[in-house]
Amino acid sequence: MKLFPLLLLFTAAITSSSALLAFPGAEGFGAQSTGGRGGSVYIVTNLNDSGSGSFRDAVSQPNRIVVFALGGLITITSRIVVSSHITIAGQTAPGQGITVYGNGVSYSAASNTITRYIRYRMGKTGDSGKDAITIANGANMIFDHVSVSWGRDETFSINGDVSNITISDSIIAQGLETHSCGGLIQTDGGVSIIRTLYIDNQTRNPKVKGVNEFVNNVVYNWGGGGGYIAGDSEGPSEANILNNIFISGPSTTIHPFTRGNANFHTYVSNNYYDPDQDGTLNGWILSATTDNYSGVDFQSAKYNYPTVGTLLSPTDALSKVKASAGASKSRDRVDSYLINTELASLGKVGALITDPTVSPMNGPGPITGGTAPTDTDNDGIPDAYETAHGTNPNANDSASIASNGYANIENYINSLV
Ligand SMILES: *[C@@H]1O[C@H](CO)[C@@H](O)[C@H](O)[C@H]1NC(C)=O
Ligand SMILES: *[C@@H]1O[C@H](CO)[C@@H](O)[C@H](O)[C@H]1NC(C)=O
Ligand SMILES: *[C@@H]1O[C@H](CO)[C@@H](O)[C@H](O)[C@H]1NC(C)=O
Ligand SMILES: *[C@@H]1O[C@H](CO)[C@@H](O)[C@H](O)[C@H]1NC(C)=O
Ligand SMILES: *[C@H]1O[C@H](CO)[C@@H](O)[C@H](O)[C@H]1NC(C)=O
């Protein structure tokens, strides 16, 4: 009998080595994205919009692991296009990390990207009719601890021939008026949205169609256009909606679930709703019979999707999101306001916004730059880490693959968070 758990452990080890995770703990449909592993390391050395050493240049070619030798605000005029096989490790930036501001970022036609601990804040100078993050086609991407806001069309939109995407531990905030949208999440290729905060969007928080799992998320202060929009379509959907928490705010006038129909097949469980905007968490678990999930077709069993390792209760999900969603290695003023002033008010504070440069948001900065640790061989891994972990501080060995399957620099990156 004692052997049984050991055998299980052994099997798990085999499975995980044959399918290395994007990073330890990666979950959902995008968990196996490979990013820039096997390619080279690119160090972002300035905050310029373009040119050598810029973020735009870093992501313009495939097969790169992108790290940052400085923190700060990168103001962009035109949209940035991310290539395939790119890892963006925002957690390597010193100071308060990196905010990309002024326009949006496209991952369309990319495959195998890993994006962590970075802020994409589009703003009203961005291209009209465009999203803060867009994926119109592509596969195998994970966005983890990403803060995205101020989209002019959608804020984070996945719409089209897109497969195997995870959005985990992120913040999707303040779609700008007059559209003010969280995002379309519409694909049959599988999207996981996990422990993510949707806050202050008039509508589409998110709007889901296709194959989707929505687990342990917090939706706060959605507007009259809708919280979770269930398909609103003749097209079939198959979704798991588990252990989320919906808290109405000053802009909220309607139920969290709208526009469903019998084509929206869903397994729902343990979703918490607090509608009264009174500053106290005193809601209830939505019942499929006495509350209305807007006419969806309930399933009796979960769809077998790659899902979270630990399913939190809705209230624990709220605590987790408050503590760590978004680019939380060092939270900026915007995320701090959203979490500590708005979400923490439990319904009393929140607004849809038109102009992020005025009060209360007052723009995307300042973001302190910090000082990068010494990296003698300029390979992206600081000397102190190389010395402590047996790589060579005087040789360019950061892209080499270590015995655990990750590149040396990924082991460093993953150690930071
Ligand atoms: C970055 O921009 C500054 C200011 O425009 C310029 O002086 C500098 O040469 C640029 N750096 C690179 C590497 O292009
Ligand atoms: C999505 O992931 C599944 C499971 O890992 C894989 O079989 C499939 O090929 C992936 N789809 C694409 C388009 O890469
Ligand atoms: C639930 O919503 C659907 C669609 O909006 C509606 O047809 C139905 O009457 C509602 N049921 C209840 C019990 O309110
Ligand atoms: C390290 O080596 C890679 C691949 O050989 C190369 O692309 C990169 O420019 C080198 N970096 C430095 C700092 O020499
Ligand atoms: C969402 O954003 C739009 C555009 O800024 C705004 O009009 C709307 O009021 C916002 N919704 C909420 C709930 O704040």
Side-chain angles (χ1 to χ4, degrees):
M1 290 307 279
K2 284 267 180 215
L3 270 179
F4 186 59
L6 283 176
L7 278 171
L8 274 182
L9 271 179
F10 186 64
T11 312
I14 300 264
T15 309
S16 67
S17 69
S18 64
L20 199 62
L21 296 174
F23 50 85
E27 294 173 324
F29 282 103
Q32 284 158 33
S33 306
T34 53
R37 189 178 310 135
S40 60
V41 173
Y42 188 112
I43 306 176
V44 174
T45 52
N46 62 55
L47 302 174
N48 293 0
D49 185 357
S50 62
S52 176
S54 67
F55 178 63
R56 185 187 300 274
D57 189 53
V59 300
S60 67
Q61 299 295 321
N63 302 308
R64 286 176 172 171
I65 297 174
V66 177
V67 298
F68 298 84
L70 77 179
L73 191 63
I74 299 174
T75 303
I76 58 172
T77 48
S78 59
R79 295 172 67 74
I80 284 180
V81 178
V82 177
S83 305
S84 293
H85 299 279
I86 290 282
T87 297
I88 298 170
Q91 69 267 40
T92 56
Q96 280 183 300
I98 292 290
T99 296
V100 177
Y101 171 66
N103 213 325
V105 181
S106 172
Y107 286 75
S108 294
S111 66
N112 279 298
T113 66
I114 300 171
T115 304
R116 303 188 76 192
Y117 290 90
I118 192 166
R119 308 176 198 97
Y120 292 143
R121 305 207 183 282
M122 182 173 177
K124 60 182 189 159
T125 56
D127 291 0
S128 172
K130 299 282 189 165
D131 311 321
I133 297 180
T134 300
I135 312 175
N137 54 322
N140 304 312
M141 306 186 207
I142 185 162
F143 298 83
D144 178 73
H145 289 94
V146 172
S147 296
V148 50
S149 67
W150 307 342
R152 292 201 61 186
D153 187 32
E154 310 291 315
T155 295
F156 194 149
S157 204
I158 297 174
N159 192 25
D161 181 12
V162 182
S163 301
N164 296 340
I165 310 290
T166 293
I167 302 171
S168 52
D169 299 288
S170 291
I171 298 177
I172 299 172
Q174 295 184 315
L176 295 185
E177 298 275 37
T178 55
H179 198 56
S180 188
C181 287
L184 300 172
I185 303 289
Q186 304 189 150
T187 174
D188 294 334
V191 177
S192 302
I193 304 178
I194 299 168
R195 295 181 304 271
T196 286
L197 171 64
Y198 278 86
I199 183 166
D200 290 345
N201 302 288
Q202 165 70 8
T203 186
R204 301 179 177 170
N205 292 281
K207 178 174 187 289
V208 171
K209 190 161 73 180
V211 171
N212 189 274
E213 61 178 342
F214 195 72
V215 180
N216 278 157
N217 299 290
V218 177
V219 184
Y220 183 77
N221 193 38
W222 62 97
Y228 186 108
I229 297 178
D232 184 32
S233 164
E234 294 309 304
S237 294
E238 297 187 338
N240 291 332
I241 306 176
L242 310 177
N243 294 46
N244 302 286
I245 181 162
F246 297 83
I247 305 173
S248 300
S251 313
T252 308
T253 51
I254 61 172
H255 193 269
F257 288 90
T258 56
R259 292 160 68 181
N261 60 36
N263 300 318
F264 197 90
H265 310 291
T266 181
Y267 179 80
V268 303
S269 175
N270 212 17
N271 294 300
Y272 187 101
Y273 176 36
D274 182 2
D276 67 6
Q277 301 163 32
D278 68 347
T280 310
L281 203 59
N282 52 1
W284 64 87
I285 299 292
L286 287 170
S287 144
T289 46
T290 57
D291 290 296
N292 200 339
Y293 276 91
S294 76
V296 299
D297 173 43
F298 292 116
Q299 301 295 297
S300 56
K302 251 186 278 193
Y303 290 101
N304 184 22
Y305 296 156
T307 188
V308 293
T310 303
L311 181 62
L312 302 173
S313 72
T315 48
D316 285 352
L318 175 62
S319 303
K320 176 80 176 165
V321 161
K322 283 166 82 172
S324 68
S328 58
K329 188 175 171 228
S330 172
R331 272 200 177 131
D332 69 347
R333 204 176 34 73
V334 173
D335 283 351
S336 297
Y337 177 84
L338 295 173
I339 299 281
N340 301 332
T341 302
E342 292 200 350
L343 181 59
S345 80
L346 295 174
K348 295 193 158 191
V349 184
L352 302 185
I353 68 165
T354 307
D355 184 351
T357 65
V358 301
S359 178
M361 305 320 294
N362 298 311
I367 306 289
T368 59
T371 306
T374 304
D375 176 18
T376 301
D377 57 12
N378 198 31
D379 69 353
I381 312 181
D383 293 3
Y385 183 93
E386 299 221 57
T387 305
H389 294 87
T391 56
N392 189 338
N394 298 301
N396 177 3
D397 57 356
S398 58
S400 306
I401 303 298
S403 57
N404 66 356
Y406 291 104
N408 287 330
I409 197 159
E410 289 184 284
N411 285 321
Y412 164 63
I413 289 167
N414 295 336
S415 78
L416 294 173
V417 288

